[in-house]
């Protein structure tokens, strides 16, 4: 849109109430007001979870350069930093952002210091979050962003997201401004960074993808941006915020808070989101055999999905349901069972037929083998017979009619 700056031909002080309004003339065009759009999100998990894929990590006197891939760029950005599950304050000596060139190297011409309340140093209290000041980094769409944080003192085990599907880099001392990091230790988790907003000239919106490892991107090529939300974002032309947690369940904690518990903070609290893709439940079924836990009936899972759909709708979001993927033959012992397959079939039948969701992304139909519908198609299988590969993530992104993500 174009906004016009209009000037009166008569001085405003000469206009009296009740008299005709003065004529106006438009002298020049003005740029539209800028606004902030969420372009990246990561769902945080506690380092104290009883079930976790990665040991807890803590940092002190170190720089950690972390790589994220916002789906849309802009004329500036701001970060969201979370110490949500920390038991001690997170002491930050410096944060810098730059375009990532690969292998932990940054483009020094883009390197910018990030402040909070005008200061480079900051502290995030236990359980707290912070939003940084705007940083004047012009970031292209779908580019890799390097966020370099110098941590001055240990805040204890760090709030994190695993796996990040991007390699980050840790070195001793303050190397936040260094173009290359020497003798860096690679890490595969994302620590403290839970969001990036971009400053954009045109109004926009985002889609939230809320799920487990299939949403997170497990099984796809690390560092390539081929996760299901990445590929859907390119197809839809708008950010698809990846709020998947590997191992996450709908009904129970472990591998992150239960979906029912984290939906408020991870999805409903994000401004600019119009649609929520909800794809949880397969781990509730599979973990029963994998970890010798009680098996939830289909009614418990559909009841949980109903709750999320209604909460989304009450918050003004359009809920989109995701069917549960096939997993027969998976390499995870006990994850597949005949009883579990019956539960999965009942849940999927409900998702396809319920009025609780405004639309459905049929993950099961996108991934299953036509000759063995309980199993992943070999061409879409990452190798563990549960997680899709790059082509499988692309099939998930293609199965939904994009009109379903603009309606509502």
């Amino acid at each position: 849109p174009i906004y016009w700056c209009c000037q009166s031909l008569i001085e405003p002080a000469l206009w009296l109430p009740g008299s005709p309004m003065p004529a106006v003339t438009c002298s020049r065009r003005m740029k539209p007001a800028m606004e902030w759009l969420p372009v990246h999100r990561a769902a945080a998990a506690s380092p104290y979870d009883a079930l976790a894929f990665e040991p807890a990590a803590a940092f002190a006197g170190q720089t950690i350069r972390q790589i994220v891939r916002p789906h849309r760029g802009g004329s500036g950005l701001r970060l969201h930093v979370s110490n949500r599950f920390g038991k001690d304050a997170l002491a930050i000596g410096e944060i810098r952002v730059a375009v990532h060139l690969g292998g932990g190297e940054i483009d020094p011409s883009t390197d910018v210091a990030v402040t909070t309340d005008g200061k480079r140093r900051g502290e995030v209290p236990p359980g707290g979050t912070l939003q940084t000041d705007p940083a004047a980094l012009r970031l292209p769409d779908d580019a890799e962003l390097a966020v370099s944080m110098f941590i001055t003192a240990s805040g204890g085990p760090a709030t994190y997201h695993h796996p990040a599907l991007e390699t980050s880099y840790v070195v001793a001392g303050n190397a936040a401004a260094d173009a290359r990091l020497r003798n860096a230790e690679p890490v595969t988790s994302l620590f403290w960074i839970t969001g990036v907003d971009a400053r954009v000239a045109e109004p926009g919106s985002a889609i939230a993808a809320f799920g487990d490892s299939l949403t997170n991107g497990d099984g796809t090529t690390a560092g390539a941006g081929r996760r299901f939300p990445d590929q859907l974002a390119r197809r839809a032309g708008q950010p698809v915020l990846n709020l998947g947690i590997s191992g996450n369940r709908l009904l129970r904690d472990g591998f992150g808070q239960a979906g029912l518990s984290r939906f408020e903070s991870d999805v409903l609290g994000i401004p600019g989101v119009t649609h929520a893709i909800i794809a949880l439940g397969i781990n509730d079924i599979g973990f029963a055999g994998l970890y010798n836990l009680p098996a939830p009936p289909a009614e418990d899972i559909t009841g949980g999905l109903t709750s999320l759909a209604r909460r989304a709708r009450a918050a003004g979001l359009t809920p989109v349901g995701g069917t549960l993927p096939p997993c027969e033959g998976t390499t995870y012992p006990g994850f597949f069972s005949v009883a579990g397959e019956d539960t999965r079939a009942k849940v999927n039948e409900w998702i396809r037929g319920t009025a609780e969701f405004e639309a459905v992304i049929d993950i099961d139909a996108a991934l299953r083998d036509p000759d063995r519908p309980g199993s992943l198609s070999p061409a879409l299988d990452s190798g563990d017979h549960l997680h899709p590969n790059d082509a499988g993530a692309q099939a998930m992104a293609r199965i939904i009619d994009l009109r379903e993500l603009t309606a509502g």
Side-chain angles (χ1 to χ4, degrees), residues 62-353:
Q62 294 166 292
T63 297
I64 177 167
R65 177 165 290 166
Q66 306 188 79
I67 312 303
V68 297
R69 184 186 291 270
H71 290 153
R72 184 172 169 184
S75 61
L77 59 82
R78 63 189 183 190
L79 306 175
H80 296 265
V81 179
S82 174
N83 193 24
R84 179 178 176 185
F85 298 106
K87 294 184 177 180
D88 298 292
L90 171 63
I92 302 171
E94 185 173 22
I95 303 178
R96 304 186 73 88
V97 291
V99 172
H100 183 230
L101 298 177
E105 182 180 354
I106 63 169
D107 178 352
S109 69
T110 66
D111 181 46
V112 176
V114 180
T115 62
T116 303
D117 296 328
K119 301 175 182 177
R120 292 196 181 188
R121 301 176 68 92
E123 185 173 280
V124 189
T129 61
L130 69 79
Q131 176 181 284
T132 69
D133 300 331
L137 170 61
R138 186 172 293 276
L139 188 70
D141 292 348
D142 205 24
E144 287 193 340
L145 173 70
V147 181
S148 301
M149 302 176 67
F150 173 51
I151 307 303
T152 58
S154 176
T159 296
Y160 76 119
H161 175 90
H162 180 84
L165 276 296
E166 295 278 0
T167 300
S168 296
Y169 306 87
V170 181
V171 296
N174 185 359
D178 292 1
R180 295 184 180 92
L181 301 180
R182 297 185 179 183
N183 302 316
E185 175 191 353
V187 293
T188 56
S189 295
L190 183 69
F191 300 95
W192 307 296
I193 300 170
T194 54
V196 180
D197 300 334
R199 198 174 189 184
V200 296
E202 297 292 332
S205 61
I207 299 163
F210 183 74
D212 48 37
S213 54
L214 271 76
T215 299
N216 188 59
D218 296 35
T220 63
T221 303
R226 296 176 183 168
R227 297 160 287 201
F228 150 61
D230 298 328
Q231 302 208 49
L232 181 57
R234 295 183 193 112
R235 183 169 174 245
Q238 65 183 123
V240 179
L241 309 177
N242 190 334
L243 294 160
I245 295 181
S246 297
N248 199 225
R249 288 177 288 176
L250 173 66
L251 304 174
R252 293 177 179 271
D253 292 345
F255 299 110
Q257 291 181 312
L260 286 173
S261 300
R262 69 183 183 93
F263 191 64
E264 181 78 27
S265 59
D266 285 356
V267 176
L268 302 185
I270 304 175
V273 171
T274 58
H275 292 68
I277 298 171
I278 300 168
L280 279 172
I282 191 63
N283 290 329
D284 294 78
I285 298 170
F287 281 11
L290 187 61
Y291 292 106
N292 194 28
L293 299 171
E299 293 75 18
D300 285 3
I301 296 174
T302 59
L305 294 173
T306 296
S307 173
L308 294 185
R310 292 181 179 179
R311 288 161 63 187
R313 189 176 289 107
L317 278 62
T318 299
V320 179
T323 56
L324 309 188
C327 60
E328 185 175 359
T330 181
T331 57
Y332 298 97
F335 195 94
F336 175 84
S337 68
V338 173
E341 180 67 2
D342 181 65
T343 300
R344 185 182 77 92
K346 289 178 180 177
V347 172
N348 282 349
E349 181 181 9
W350 177 85
I351 291 172
R352 293 182 179 111

